[in-house]
Amino acid sequence: EELMPIVYTPTVGQACIEYGYRWTTSRGLYVSIKDKGNVRQLVNNWPENDVRVIVFTDGERILGLGDLGINGMGIPVGKLQLYAACAGIDHH
């Protein structure tokens, strides 16, 4: 517990800062305030029909780094992988 701020926070923080530069494939749906009024259309355009788990975040104050925008997606994507693994949900 005492090592979390020393090891976890900087490591995950750096991963989040770099997340947007290491894109491989769509792993999350980013909705910004500019999408207000169009969220249903965005969700309906998601290519996967069998959605079993959703992790939602406002992306603010990630590890004290502030609002990272799309780069903050690493946190909910990682949480979703953890939750799905714990629940025995196969991901594609």
Side-chain angles (χ1 to χ4, degrees), residues 18-88:
E18 296 180 19
Y19 187 82
Y21 300 103
R22 299 180 183 268
W23 187 85
T24 56
T25 185
S26 292
R27 304 200 62 187
L29 176 65
Y30 181 79
V31 180
S32 79
I33 193 68
K34 295 177 184 177
D35 296 315
K36 186 176 179 180
N38 297 312
V39 175
R40 182 181 300 274
Q41 181 181 358
L42 288 171
V43 171
N44 287 341
N45 285 330
W46 185 251
E48 181 63 49
N49 291 323
D50 186 20
V51 176
R52 298 178 186 191
V53 181
I54 295 173
V55 174
F56 181 86
T57 180
D58 64 3
E60 292 185 4
R61 300 204 27 87
I62 294 175
L63 302 172
L65 298 172
D67 185 350
L68 297 178
I70 191 68
N71 289 350
M73 285 293 290
I75 295 291
V77 167
K79 286 182 178 183
L80 183 59
Q81 290 173 338
L82 177 64
Y83 299 161
C86 290

